[in-house]
Each structure stands twice: as structure tokens, then as C-alpha cells.
Amino acid sequence: MTENTGARHGGVPADRGRTTVADVVVEKIAGMAARDVPGVHALGSGFARSMGSMRERMPGAGSGKSVTRGVSVEVGELQAAIDLEIVVEYGVSITDVAGEVRESVISAVERMAGREVVEVNITVSDVKLPDEEDEGEERQRIQ
């Protein structure tokens, strides 16, 4: 009688294949993690956000905001590098928000995608003032 140790096929399950994580997966994880940080108004530059809002109104373009707008990544087998472009709310500490975004993105990508994040570069492209309307809000009001 033989004992079943789970090693019939040799080695641990992780040694029996390769997992590939697409760049877009890491982009979405990073985008969601960055948006969840208080003080982040939006991701992407004003131009990118206005172009995105026009695309979203086109039939068949899908619903909701693009999660990957303002996010670019380089993903390898073990590591990832992430660039983010954010718009912050007026009155918040930009350095504090950037630090929290960096922590949130690193934690989410490492936990969900299993890639070591070697860098998160953040560009603050704008500040959302209290009396400013978003480009999308202004267009909706005009229509």
C-alpha cells in the first residue's frame, strides 16, 4: 500500500507551469488602487480625460470611466514599473497624496498580480479647484 503525498506528478503545483499577467491587468489594478486614495480627483491629464469622456459617449464604447487612463506599466515575469498621472483635489498635501498613492498601488499590485513593484512614478498634472467643473460635467450641461 502506498501513501498519497500529493507528489505523484513531481514537484509543487507552482513548478508545473507559468502564469503570465498582461500589462492591462496591472494597469487596471494600479488605476483602481490610485483612485481609492482620498485627495485623488482623477487619473490622466485634462486632455486625456476629455478625449476619454468623448469616447465613452460613443455607442458600443462600454460604460464607465476608463480605469487605465493615466496609467502606464512595464510588466516582466517578476517585476513591474508603473507611471501614473493624477489630478489632486485643491487643499490636500500633494506629497502626502502621492505617498499614499504609491503605497496603495504597490500593495495592490504585489498582492494581486504577484509582481514586485520596483517603482511608481507619479506626475501631478493638475489641481481640481472647488469651483471648477470637470470637462465631462460641462459638456453634459451644454448638451
Side-chain angles (χ1 to χ4, degrees):
M1 188 164 155
T2 60
E3 187 176 315
N4 184 0
T5 62
R8 295 188 291 205
H9 301 288
V12 293
D15 293 339
R16 295 187 207 163
R18 181 176 48 164
T19 302
T20 303
V21 178
D23 289 7
V24 70
V25 172
V26 175
E27 287 175 350
K28 287 181 178 184
I29 293 169
M32 291 299 294
R35 280 182 173 79
D36 286 345
V37 174
V40 173
H41 175 72
L43 267 66
S45 66
F47 178 74
R49 289 192 325 272
S50 63
M51 292 303 293
S53 66
M54 287 188 341
R55 276 193 304 270
E56 289 164 5
R57 286 193 199 86
M58 297 175 76
S63 61
K65 294 181 179 179
S66 172
V67 176
T68 61
R69 188 179 310 133
V71 182
S72 68
V73 302
E74 290 181 39
V75 182
E77 286 188 38
L78 302 172
Q79 298 177 323
I82 301 163
D83 293 325
L84 299 169
E85 187 173 358
I86 67 173
V87 176
V88 298
E89 299 284 347
Y90 176 80
V92 300
S93 166
I94 292 172
T95 55
D96 289 351
V97 169
E100 289 177 36
V101 166
R102 195 169 279 112
E103 284 182 36
S104 179
V105 168
I106 290 170
S107 174
V109 170
E110 288 184 348
R111 180 175 51 84
M112 290 197 268
R115 299 299 182 268
E116 175 192 9
V117 178
V118 294
E119 65 181 7
V120 176
N121 300 309
I122 299 171
T123 300
V124 179
S125 61
D126 203 356
V127 174
K128 168 70 169 72
L129 300 176
D131 57 346
E132 280 183 330
E133 289 184 4
D134 283 332
E135 288 88 356
E137 292 172 0
E138 187 176 324
R139 280 192 189 82
Q140 287 176 345
R141 193 185 77 223
I142 292 171
Q143 291 178 353

